[in-house]
Amino acid sequence: KKKTVSFSSMPNDRKINSTAACISLMLEGCELKKVRSNSRMYSRFFVLDADMRSVRWEPSKKDSEKAKIEIKSVKEVRVGKKTPVLRSNGLSDQFPDECAFSIIYGDNYESLDLVASSADVVSAWVMGLRYLVSYGKHSPEAPGTGHPSLRTSWISSVFDLADLEKSGHIPVSRAVQLIKALNPGMKTSTIELKFKELQKASERPGMEVACDLFVEAYCELCTRPEIFFLLVQFSSNKEYLGVKDLLMFLEVEQGMEGVTEEKCLEIVSKYEPSKEGREKGYLAIDGFTRYLLSADCSIFDPQHRKVCQDMAQPLSHYYISSAHSACLLEDNFWGRSDISGYISALGLGCRSIELVLWDGPEGEPVVYTSPSAASCVPFRAVVGLIDQHAFTASAYPLILCLVVRCSAPQQRLAAQCLRKTLGEKLYLEPPNPVASYLPSPEELKGRILIKGKKLPPTCEDSEGEVSDEEEGWELARRLGQEDREAPEGGGLRRVRLSRELSELVSLCQAVPFQDFESSRRGQHYWEMCSFSEVEAGRFANECPAELVSYNKRFLSRIYPSPMRIDASNMNPQDFWKCGCQMVAMNYQTPGLMMDLNAGWFRQNGACGYVLRPAIMREEVSYFSANAKDSLPGVPAQLLHLKVISGQNLPKPKGSGAKGEVVEPYVCAEIHGIPADCAEHRTKTALQSGDNPIFDESLEFQINLPELAVLRFVVLDDDYIGDEFIAQYTIPFECLQPGYRHVPLQSLAGEPLPHATLFVHVAITDRRGGGKGHRRGLAGRRGRRVREYTSTKATGIKAIDEVFRTATQPLREATDLRENVQNALVSFKELCGLTPAANMKQCILTVSTWLLHSDSAPSVTLNLAEQYPPMEAQGPIPDLLRKVLTAYETMIQTSRTLIESADAVYGKLIQAQQAGMDFHKELHRIETKEGLRGRKLQKALESFAWNITVLKGQADLLKHAKAEALDNLWQIHNAGQSCGIGRNGSASPEPSRLQAPLEPIPE
């Protein structure tokens, strides 16, 4: 039977929408499984005492006074398998993570480990306990007494405004509209049903509702339990976040830097609906929900909403958003040419458009790609449109790929039209013969480049013959215009080209591809080749390294196979992984492939240019596109993704006759190099309405983060005909950490109003090196031998001696990094946190335990020192002693790393630069050593591997040092803000701590 987690499966179908509801459940009591240290589980009935001062359980062999925990002795409440007992191997597979929780209590920090029947019960107990622990400190009021809450007052004031007659009642229809206005996306039928239920329960049927009933309906409909749970976690006072709470949430959970109290007050004034809340600086549940749903809290990194990458690299170092048959709105064969396709593609940031020129019936060239002679568009009209819309979405260069199928006289007209219409925008300057690479997008801003054939320099006539492009002949066959047979012997077709059109081609001269060796020796940087997807696919599988190397200097364009008569799309990732810049897509065809393309080019301000990964740009680097594991010198990362809930999910568009309810599940897919491609799905949320709760953690290892794309797909498990509900695709580099909403889109990429997924994102470095060991959030499972990255022999003695000097520094660099990583994970585990937690969270957790003690803190942080020791004041319990030992190990390994990194880094760079000195002489040395064929290939590969490993390991060490310094800064910062620090001056600025290592030149 499929397992579902849904908040509506609470006892008596109760919705947990307030702390009072949680406490009420605890007062009634329920059955939980108590886990012993010997891994045995016992069912017990747990209940909160009527005076709300203790939690008891029965039956128990203990005296009834001992089978209880006093609320005031509780140090912390942990969700999930976060204690050694719950992590033990005997138990870890018996129940899901979200059904476990632990209460840490008493002066000895003992843990009561519990397992509930569902995540809902866990949430209710955890929320209630956390509330009681903080309520015990802050206020003598019992819940539900005294003044009405901030929220109730606000909802009542909304009701009063709507009560135009001041009768104390409003019509049900007005009440429904009011709730709909306050919670856009909620179905009218859902609200109407809720009013009927409440009217029936309170025995007050009729066409009007009173204020108390309206407040109750609003609270039940508009409280998202998972967000309320989050609010209680961070709230130091009952049911809202103060400025300090919000600041803590933004820094610790959302990973925001430099947050000030002023910034928090801005958020409160922007999102808190109640006037009283805004005046006092409180963010209650409705304001908090609004903030989490807003663009200010988007999953997409706001930095990438504008151009943020280096745009001064050569053109060949970027992926370029490219369209194949942009003027089609349907499929290739039955499509109709429609001029609006160009506007749509350019509006989406497309920077390369294909134009196939044919002889027009009235002496002027036309563009059409469908077999119907009636569906042609005059070339003049297309150029006018391009002139008008070329730079509306992006200021960076536009490449027009001309495929010439018209006669020389009409080519002259086309050339005149391009010159006259585009004027100064046309880039006509001849290539610089001294340069080695194409100019940058920055240098070519606002310019239009023509990609096409060029007459040979020897030709002095007004027209001449050139080899033809393969592209476009499939259509010619259908149009019956293929009067030029392929020459005997299978050579390239020849076509006539006019001088006027030839002179418009400068930096993108189309040439036929022969082989990689010929290109390496004879191709100029301004010449480019087009490959059919079949040919490019063969190279990508058989010789990926050569294709990557070719693309460092030259542009390559991949066009779809002519067999795709339905205008379907190829997978662009198959070619991006080999560095191919221009993968021409059929923009008019929605689906997975177009999602990947659209999602990918959403980054860097959606300007149509994305900088390729550094490992694909460096002159000497080893990169295997088909690697099945981590890459030398690229730090692998772990993506911890928690899919929490969905909001306002629509029915699948094409589903057959079935009820309104969907039974959704979420697939999270990673697309990238083969080693990264993976897919995980959540369980199905059964009968969950439009707002399902999934509450499921997924984990992915990402070996080349710069090329990875994350795609969320929501599907219906109970479908007839169509299962697709929604999708959203985002580059891995654009993900923001923390609690985020994913704005869902339709199959065609259009936004679905108010449809979202609520997720938590955390990204950590993969612990250890070498082979990728998949592991859960729980961390370590037994010891394993440390693997060291080493250099490879080239077979050339002088070069191998240079690389051999790096053997010891490579080992030292790995040890420095991994010792810190291991110490960090141990410290986080003892704090009851996952490897995804940051240092600030660790210090705050320890301080929470200490500040929940009656006595003064028994442990302090001495902030007077650069590496602050954690010092015990008098005797301390065993758990705290272990935490102190783990902290000390982490500080010592971090200190060793920070103080030794520069010297080891220097040795690695020295070896790398000495190796690079051989690079220019490499071919001479190969000849001298008599290397050829496979041996030569192996020597070149090993040389590139060694350079990549040295640069990569030096880079990793540089990042590890920066992270260790940042951790120290977080310790200082957290120690001061939470009250366990002493002798603290102003915390060291991260910029002052981080004495940066020199960047490694590409």
Side-chain angles (χ1 to χ4, degrees), residues 9 15 27 242-243 255 325 348 366 383 442 470 501 539 748 816 914:
S9 64
K15 263 246 187 201
L27 287 165
V243 169
S325 304
L348 290 168
V366 293
V383 175
E442 192 59 46
E470 277 302 297
L501 206 53
F539 293 145
L816 286 170

Side-chain angles (χ1 to χ4, degrees), residues 109-237:
Y109 293 79
E110 295 170 69
S111 76
L112 173 65
D113 299 301
L114 302 166
V115 178
S117 56
S118 72
D120 323 11
V121 178
V122 172
S123 298
W125 275 90
V126 171
M127 211 186 291
L129 284 166
R130 282 177 176 167
Y131 175 82
L132 288 171
V133 169
S134 82
Y135 143 77
K137 292 200 311 242
H138 287 286
S139 158
E141 285 176 30
T145 65
H147 300 292
S149 75
L150 205 64
R151 186 184 201 197
T152 310
S153 308
W154 166 67
I155 302 166
S156 304
S157 71
V158 171
F159 179 89
D160 291 342
L161 284 174
D163 182 10
L164 305 173
E165 297 79 22
K166 302 298 171 220
S167 62
H169 292 80
I170 61 172
V172 172
S173 58
R174 195 182 302 164
V176 170
Q177 288 311 310
L178 208 50
I179 289 183
K180 203 166 165 58
L182 292 169
N183 197 340
M186 188 172 282
K187 285 181 185 167
T188 307
S189 56
T190 308
I191 308 171
E192 288 171 344
L193 189 65
K194 178 55 67 181
F195 277 121
K196 277 181 188 162
E197 276 175 24
L198 294 176
Q199 284 179 323
K200 188 178 176 186
S202 61
E203 297 179 354
R204 287 187 284 175
M207 298 309 291
E208 295 201 322
V209 290
C211 184
D212 61 331
L213 204 120
F214 178 78
V215 170
E216 192 181 348
Y218 178 87
C219 288
E220 288 201 16
L221 286 166
C222 304
T223 308
R224 285 181 42 196
E226 70 278 25
I227 291 183
F228 190 74
F229 185 35
L230 192 57
L231 180 132
V232 171
Q233 224 174 314
F234 281 87
S235 167
S236 56
N237 188 319

Side-chain angles (χ1 to χ4, degrees), residues 931-972:
L931 294 175
R932 56 175 63 84
R934 185 76 196 107
K935 277 190 176 176
L936 171 62
Q937 188 62 34
K938 195 88 185 112
L940 290 172
E941 263 182 29
S942 297
F943 182 82
W945 165 276
N946 294 345
I947 295 293
T948 307
V949 161
L950 292 172
K951 181 187 180 307
Q953 292 297 315
D955 259 344
L956 290 176
L957 192 58
K958 178 175 71 171
H959 292 311
K961 179 181 174 181
E963 273 180 20
L965 288 166
D966 183 58
N967 280 338
L968 287 183
W969 178 77
Q970 286 188 44
I971 291 168
H972 271 95

Side-chain angles (χ1 to χ4, degrees), residues 709-879:
V709 174
L710 170 64
R711 181 174 185 252
F712 294 95
V713 197
V714 188
L715 300 165
D716 185 4
D717 214 359
D718 182 32
Y719 69 95
I720 300 171
D722 182 14
E723 61 177 340
F724 179 89
I725 296 173
Q727 64 84 25
Y728 181 74
T729 311
I730 180 171
F732 180 79
E733 298 277 278
C734 296
L735 282 172
Q736 287 224 89
Y739 288 94
R740 307 286 172 183
H741 280 93
V742 177
L744 295 172
Q745 299 180 335
S746 70
L747 190 63
E750 292 147 356
L752 293 169
H754 313 299
T756 51
L757 283 180
F758 187 44
V759 299
H760 181 266
V761 175
I763 295 163
T764 57
D765 288 336
R766 194 191 81 210
R767 198 164 144 265
K771 288 209 165 25
H773 290 260
R774 296 223 168 250
R775 56 176 183 76
L777 286 175
R780 296 166 300 167
R781 291 277 176 269
R783 297 181 66 81
R784 60 186 178 80
V785 179
R786 181 168 293 176
E787 294 176 12
Y788 294 95
T789 307
S790 57
T791 55
K792 292 181 178 179
T794 61
I796 301 167
K797 193 179 175 186
I799 295 177
D800 286 341
E801 278 173 9
V802 165
F803 287 132
R804 214 167 286 129
T805 62
T807 307
Q808 192 53 35
L810 280 171
R811 287 184 75 88
E812 285 173 26
T814 303
D815 287 337
L816 286 170
R817 285 187 301 103
E818 294 214 4
N819 290 346
V820 172
Q821 279 289 333
N822 292 345
L824 273 171
V825 171
S826 298
F827 178 55
K828 288 174 185 178
E829 280 188 0
L830 282 164
C831 291
L833 297 167
T834 68
N838 59 33
M839 189 49 60
K840 198 162 190 175
Q841 282 168 295
C842 297
I843 302 300
L844 293 174
T845 300
V846 174
S847 77
T848 310
W849 302 344
L850 300 169
L851 299 174
H852 282 169
S853 302
D854 295 333
S855 54
S858 50
V859 170
T860 55
L861 269 173
N862 184 356
L863 301 180
E865 298 190 28
Q866 189 192 350
Y867 300 95
M870 203 180 262
E871 297 161 347
Q873 312 297 317
I876 57 169
D878 188 40
L879 176 72

Side-chain angles (χ1 to χ4, degrees), residues 24-43:
S24 145
L25 174 96
M26 292 162 68
L27 287 165
E28 286 172 29
C30 70
E31 196 171 278
L32 299 170
K33 286 191 169 72
K34 185 168 175 272
V35 185
R36 291 262 180 88
S37 53
N38 60 6
S39 295
R40 289 195 176 170
M41 294 200 281
Y42 302 88
S43 285

Side-chain angles (χ1 to χ4, degrees), residues 333 356 358-359 368-376 405 472-483:
F333 194 59
V356 186
W358 299 89
D359 279 335
Y368 62 123
T369 48
S370 103
S372 159
S375 66
C376 59
R405 294 278 172 267
W473 279 114
E474 187 66 22
L475 183 65
R477 283 199 265 297
R478 295 199 192 121
L479 281 163
Q481 292 189 9
E482 192 187 13
D483 53 355

